[in-house]
C-alpha cells in the first residue's frame, strides 16, 4: 500500500490531505506504482544522501525446530489509529488520543521534557493554559448526547472547552453533556483545559468517560463488540513502525496508563495491544519498529509471551512494506544494505538487509517462545503484485528456517483508466481489477508452497483513490454502493477458496475521501446497513 495514501497523519489537517500521488523508486529493479505493479525498465528516481551505519546484528541462540503453525481460513483486521480525529472510539478514557498543547503558543505541542512519564504536565506556569482534545464517544456520531464525568487528583484549575453543555463543577470532578454531531466526524469537539498547576502537586490521574462506565474499563464497549468477529488483529497503526523513529528503547515506551496513547513516535502501549487481543479473543499481529534495539525486541517478546492468553497465537514481523519507497524506512533499509556490502544494486541491498534483520528478530522471538513454538507465527513480508520480491527474500540465507509465513497485501483496484466514467462503469472496472488481483496471487502461492510456508495477508481490500476534481465524492460513492458488498464477498470467498488462510483487511475504521476509503466503516458505531464492506466481512467472521 502506498504510504502517502494511507499513512497515519499526525494532525487532523494532514489526515485529510494525506494521499499525494506517490511513485516509489526501487533502484534499477523498477518503480512501484500506486497499485503496487512494477515497471522493470524504469530508471531510479532518487539519490541516496549519505549511508547510515547498519543496525548491529546480534547472534541469539539457534532457533529450535518449531511446531507447524496451523493453516486455515480466518478473517483478520488492521485496527484503526487511536487519534481523536480517527473516527474510532478506542479507549473508554476520552483523554487518550492526543497530546497536550500550549494554548498561549498557537496550540503547539508541549515538549516531552515538560511531561511526566504518564504524559501529564509537570506544572502549568502562571498565565499559561494547556489543553488536551478529547476523543468523541461514538454515540455522538449517531445523533445522541452523551453524559461525561471527568475526575482527577492534584491541584490546579481544570475546565472543559468546546461544544459541551450543562457543565457542573464539583470537588475534583466535572460533568457535562457531549452534544450529538453529524457523522462522520461529529464536529462537536471538546477539550480539557488546565491552568494554575503547581510543580509540587500537579494534576494527575485524569480520566474523562461516560458517566455510566466503570472506572476500570479500559476499552470502549463498541470497540470490543466491533472487533469480536475477527480472528486476527494487526496492530500496525498502534505501533511506531511507519513513523520509524531513529531510536526505540524499552525505557522510553508508552506506558499502559499514559494519557497519550496516540504518540506516533512511541505507539500505543504494548500491554494495551495484548489486553485488547485477550479481551476480544483474537490472535494479535505485531509489527516491530525497525530501529528497536535488541533489549526492546527481547522484552517485547517476553511481555507478549507472559501476558497473551495461552490459547492464542501471535503473528510478528519487523517493519512494514520494506519494498515500498513511499515509506522512509525503505530508503533506510537500502542504505544499510549498501553500507554492509550486501549488494551493489539498491533494491537488492534492501531485500537482503530486510531478510537479514527479519532472521535476527525472529530468532529472538523464537528463543522466548521456545516452550511453545507452535504459538508463534514468524512473518516475512513481500509484494503481492510482484512475486519476484517474495522469491528473493525467501531465498536469502536462513530465512526459510526462521519464518512460518509469507505475507502480502492483495489490494484490488480499477482495471484501467476510469476518468470521466459513470459509477456503473467504474464498478465494472473494479470487478475486473479484483479478478486480476486474484490471478496475481498465484506467483506468491508458488513461492510459499516451494518453501513449505503459509501465505497470508497483512492488508487487503479495495485500493480506490482519486485526486482529480470531484475525486472525493467518487471514492465515497463507489465505496458506499451496494456493489461494494458484492465485491467484498467475492474477494473474501475467492481468497478462502484459493488460499484458505488468514486474510487481514485494512482497516477497521476510517474516513472516506480522495486519498482513499480504507476503513470498512467510516466511523465508530456506524449502522451495518450503511457499511457494505463491513457487512460482507461480517459474513465471514468467527
Amino acid at each position: 500500500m502506498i504510504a502517502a495514501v494511507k499513512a497515519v497523519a499526525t494532525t487532523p489537517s494532514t489526515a485529510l490531505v494525506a494521499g499525494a500521488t506517490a511513485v516509489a523508486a526501487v533502484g534499477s529493479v523498477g518503480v512501484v506504482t500506486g497499485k503496487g505493479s512494477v515497471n522493470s525498465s524504469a530508471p531510479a528516481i532518487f539519490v541516496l544522501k549519505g549511508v547510515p551505519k547498519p543496525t548491529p546484528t546480534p547472534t541469539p541462540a539457534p532457533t529450535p525446530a518449531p511446531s507447524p503453525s496451523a493453516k486455515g481460513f480466518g478473517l483478520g483486521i488492521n485496527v484503526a489509529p487511536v487519534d481523536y480525529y480517527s473516527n474510532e472510539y478506542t479507549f473508554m478514557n476520552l483523554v487518550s488520543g492526543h497530546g497536550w498543547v500550549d494554548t498561549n503558543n498557537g496550540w503547539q505541542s508541549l515538549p516531552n521534557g515538560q511531561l511526566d512519564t504518564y504524559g501529564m504536565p509537570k506544572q502549568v506556569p502562571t498565565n499559561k493554559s494547556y489543553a488536551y482534545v478529547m476523543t468523541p464517544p461514538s454515540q455522538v456520531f449517531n445523533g445522541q448526547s452523551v453524559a461525561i464525568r471527568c475526575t482527577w487528583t492534584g491541584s490546579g484549575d481544570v475546565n472543559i472547552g468546546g461544544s459541551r453543555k450543562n457543565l457542573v463543577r464539583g470537588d475534583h470532578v466535572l460533568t457535562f453533556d457531549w452534544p450529538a454531531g453529524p457523522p462522520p466526524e461529529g464536529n462537536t469537539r471538546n477539550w480539557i483545559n488546565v491552568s494554575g498547576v503547581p510543580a509540587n502537586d500537579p494534576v494527575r490521574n485524569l480520566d474523562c468517560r461516560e458517566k455510566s462506565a466503570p472506572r476500570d474499563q479500559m476499552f470502549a464497549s463498541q470497540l470490543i463488540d466491533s472487533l469480536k468477529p475477527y480472528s486476527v488483529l494487526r496492530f500496525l497503526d498502534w505501533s511506531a513502525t511507519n513513523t520509524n523513529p531513529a531510536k526505540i528503547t524499552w525505557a522510553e515506551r508508552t506506558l499502559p496508563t499514559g494519557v497519550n496513547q496516540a504518540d506516533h513516535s512511541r505507539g500505543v502501549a504494548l500491554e494495551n495491544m495484548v489486553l485488547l487481543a485477550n479481551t476480544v479473543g483474537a490472535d494479535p499481529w505485531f509489527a516491530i519498529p525497525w530501529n528497536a534495539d535488541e533489549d526492546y525486541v527481547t522484552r517485547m517478546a517476553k511481555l507478549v509471551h507472559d501476558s497473551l492468553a495461552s490459547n492464542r497465537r501471535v503473528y510478528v514481523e519487523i517493519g512494514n512494506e520494506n519494498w515500498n519507497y513511499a515509506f522512509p524506512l525503505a530508503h533506510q533499509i537500502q542504505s544499510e544494505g549498501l553500507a554492509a556490502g550486501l549488494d551493489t544494486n539498491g533494491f537488492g541491498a534492501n531485500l537482503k538487509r530486510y531478510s537479514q534483520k527479519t532472521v535476527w528478530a525472529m530468532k529472538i522471538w523464537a528463543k522466548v517462545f521456545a516452550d511453545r513454538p507452535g504459538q508463534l507465527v514468524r512473518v516475512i513480508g513481500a509484494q503481492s503484485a510482484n512475486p519476484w520480491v517474495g522469491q528473493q527474500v525467501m531465498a536469502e540465507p536462513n530465512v526459510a528456517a526462521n519464518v512460518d509465513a509469507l505475507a502480502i497485501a492483495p489490494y484490488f483496484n480499477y482495471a484501467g483508466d476510469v476518468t470521466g466514467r459513470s459509477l456503473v462503469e467504474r464498478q465494472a472496472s473494479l470487478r475486473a481489477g479484483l479478478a486480476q488481483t486474484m490471478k496475481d496471487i498465484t506467483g506468491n502461492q508458488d513461492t510459499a508452497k516451494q518453501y513449505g510456508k503459509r501465505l497470508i495477508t497483512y492488508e487487503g481490500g479495495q485500493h480506490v483513490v482519486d485526486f482529480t476534481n470531484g475525486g472525493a465524492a467518487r471514492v465515497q460513492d463507489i465505496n458506499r454502493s451496494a456493489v461494494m458488498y458484492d465485491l467484498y464477498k467475492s474477494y473474501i470467498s475467492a481468497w478462502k477458496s484459493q488460499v484458505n488462510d488468514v486474510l487481514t483487511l485494512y482497516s477497521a475504521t476510517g474516513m472516506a475521501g480522495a486519498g482513499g476509503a480504507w476503513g470498512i466503516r467510516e466511523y465508530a458505531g456506524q449502522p451495518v446497513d450503511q457499511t457494505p464492506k463491513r457487512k460482507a466481512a461480517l459474513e465471514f467472521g468467527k
Side-chain angles (χ1 to χ4, degrees), residues 60-66 69 316-318 354-367 373 376-381 393-394 396-406 451-453:
T63 306
S69 298
V316 63
E317 63 183 320
I318 186 164
Y354 171 64
S355 301
Q356 181 187 73
K357 194 159 186 180
T358 293
V359 171
W360 166 76
M362 296 307 109
K363 284 185 175 182
I364 293 174
W365 276 71
K367 182 178 179 181
L376 177 64
V377 184
R378 302 163 297 173
V379 178
I380 191 165
V393 296
M394 287 303 307
E396 283 299 302
N398 302 313
V399 168
N402 289 282
V403 301
D404 306 296
L406 182 68
Y451 289 94
K453 306 303 175 184

Side-chain angles (χ1 to χ4, degrees), residues 192-207:
I192 296 279
N193 276 115
V194 295
S195 58
V197 175
N200 63 348
D201 187 26
V203 172
R204 52 198 184 277
N205 300 317
L206 180 60
D207 185 278

Side-chain angles (χ1 to χ4, degrees), residues 429-510:
S429 181
L430 196 57
R431 190 179 299 277
L434 168 55
Q436 185 60 51
T437 291
M438 297 314 298
K439 290 180 181 178
D440 291 343
I441 288 172
T442 56
N444 284 297
Q445 279 187 283
D446 291 342
T447 300
K449 183 178 180 180
Q450 176 186 350
Y451 289 94
K453 306 303 175 184
R454 298 169 59 186
L455 180 66
I456 59 180
T457 83
Y458 61 87
E459 294 174 17
Q462 59 75 40
H463 196 293
V464 175
V465 299
D466 188 341
F467 297 106
T468 61
N469 186 38
R474 286 188 291 273
V475 171
Q476 291 167 351
D477 63 20
I478 196 167
N479 273 276
R480 294 168 181 172
S481 69
V483 168
M484 192 60 77
Y485 165 79
D486 297 327
L487 290 172
Y488 264 64
K489 280 196 66 175
S490 297
Y491 178 64
I492 300 171
S493 294
W495 176 269
K496 183 176 181 180
S497 174
Q498 185 172 330
V499 182
N500 193 36
D501 212 317
V502 170
L503 171 64
T504 309
L505 300 173
Y506 190 93
S507 120
T509 306

Side-chain angles (χ1 to χ4, degrees), residues 40-217:
S40 59
S41 63
I45 58 172
F46 69 94
V47 178
L48 292 176
K49 297 181 179 179
V51 180
K53 183 178 180 181
T55 306
T57 303
T59 54
T63 306
S67 302
S69 298
K71 176 183 178 182
F73 175 77
L75 190 64
I77 194 74
N78 280 266
V79 296
V82 304
D83 305 271
Y84 74 89
Y85 52 84
S86 69
N87 289 350
E88 185 62 277
Y89 182 18
T90 301
F91 293 99
M92 188 58 76
N93 184 2
L94 306 179
V95 185
S96 58
H98 195 223
W100 289 96
V101 296
D102 186 343
T103 61
N104 300 104
N105 185 30
W107 286 62
Q108 294 299 306
S109 297
L110 291 186
N112 287 334
Q114 295 183 30
L115 306 174
D116 65 17
T117 56
Y118 297 98
M120 291 295 296
K122 296 177 180 178
Q123 65 175 328
V124 181
T126 304
N127 299 323
K128 281 279 190 177
S129 173
Y130 297 159
Y132 189 111
V133 182
M134 292 182 283
T135 301
S138 58
Q139 297 93 318
V140 305
F141 298 146
N142 293 287
Q144 302 175 41
S145 176
V146 183
I148 305 296
R149 175 188 286 112
C150 296
T151 58
W152 64 93
T153 59
S155 302
D157 180 61
V158 179
N159 202 356
I160 307 294
S163 59
R164 85 291 186 278
K165 306 290 184 183
N166 305 321
L167 180 65
V168 178
R169 301 174 182 274
D171 182 14
H172 289 82
V173 61
L174 289 173
T175 61
F176 67 94
D177 292 332
W178 194 309
E185 291 185 301
N187 297 321
T188 57
R189 298 296 183 203
N190 289 291
W191 54 87
I192 296 279
N193 276 115
V194 295
S195 58
V197 175
N200 63 348
D201 187 26
V203 172
R204 52 198 184 277
N205 300 317
L206 180 60
D207 185 278
C208 293
R209 64 181 59 220
E210 298 175 41
K211 287 179 68 174
S212 60
R215 181 64 174 80
D216 61 353
Q217 183 175 339

Side-chain angles (χ1 to χ4, degrees), residues 56 116 142 156 177 238 268 313 331 373 426 520 533:
D116 65 17
N142 293 287
D177 292 332
W238 281 26
V268 175
R313 288 185 179 83
H331 298 271
R426 288 184 285 122
I520 60 172
K533 294 179 290 188

Side-chain angles (χ1 to χ4, degrees), residues 498-539:
Q498 185 172 330
V499 182
N500 193 36
D501 212 317
V502 170
L503 171 64
T504 309
L505 300 173
Y506 190 93
S507 120
T509 306
M511 294 177 287
W518 308 112
I520 60 172
R521 65 178 183 180
E522 294 181 46
Y523 57 91
Q526 187 175 15
V528 174
D529 61 4
Q530 297 177 14
T531 60
K533 294 179 290 188
R534 184 166 186 263
K535 182 180 178 182
L538 291 177
E539 296 185 16

